[in-house]
Amino acid sequence: MPATLLLRLVNLVFTLYSAAIIVRAFLSWFNLSSHNKLVRFLYEITEPLLAPLRRYVPVIGGLDFTPMVALVILWLVESLLSSLILALFR
């Protein structure tokens, strides 16, 4: 029972953070003001992950693939964390 609850919490946190990265990527297609509260909030919560990755992920053809790399990393970390939780509660 505790493992299930913890797994759901981990899944929720990673899903919400992944959604924030996806929404931020889509919002970049529109010319929204950086003073917009939603835009500012998304940048504040996603930039700590995206900024360091930008040093290693090149812009190709004018496209920033950093959000995709971040999502893959998040999904890998979530999978690893879920496996560890299951192993601990067996």
Side-chain angles (χ1 to χ4, degrees):
M1 183 69 150
T4 304
L5 184 60
L6 191 53
L7 284 171
R8 286 184 181 180
L9 178 63
V10 166
N11 180 263
L12 176 65
V13 169
F14 278 87
T15 299
L16 290 174
Y17 199 69
S18 296
I21 290 173
I22 292 168
V23 170
R24 177 183 169 169
F26 281 123
L27 286 178
S28 71
W29 296 350
F30 305 99
N31 191 16
L32 295 177
S33 169
S34 61
H35 298 293
N36 181 300
K37 288 182 181 184
L38 175 63
V39 172
R40 192 170 49 231
F41 173 73
L42 289 173
Y43 273 69
E44 286 176 6
I45 65 170
T46 59
E47 197 60 21
L49 177 62
L50 296 176
L53 289 176
R54 278 197 198 91
R55 287 183 254 160
Y56 304 103
V57 180
V59 174
I60 301 171
L63 296 175
D64 181 12
F65 288 97
T66 307
M68 280 193 271
V69 172
L71 289 173
V72 169
I73 291 170
L74 281 174
W75 293 332
L76 289 172
V77 170
E78 179 185 9
S79 177
L80 178 65
L81 193 55
S82 296
S83 296
L84 287 172
I85 291 168
L86 287 173
L88 286 174
F89 283 95
R90 282 194 178 162

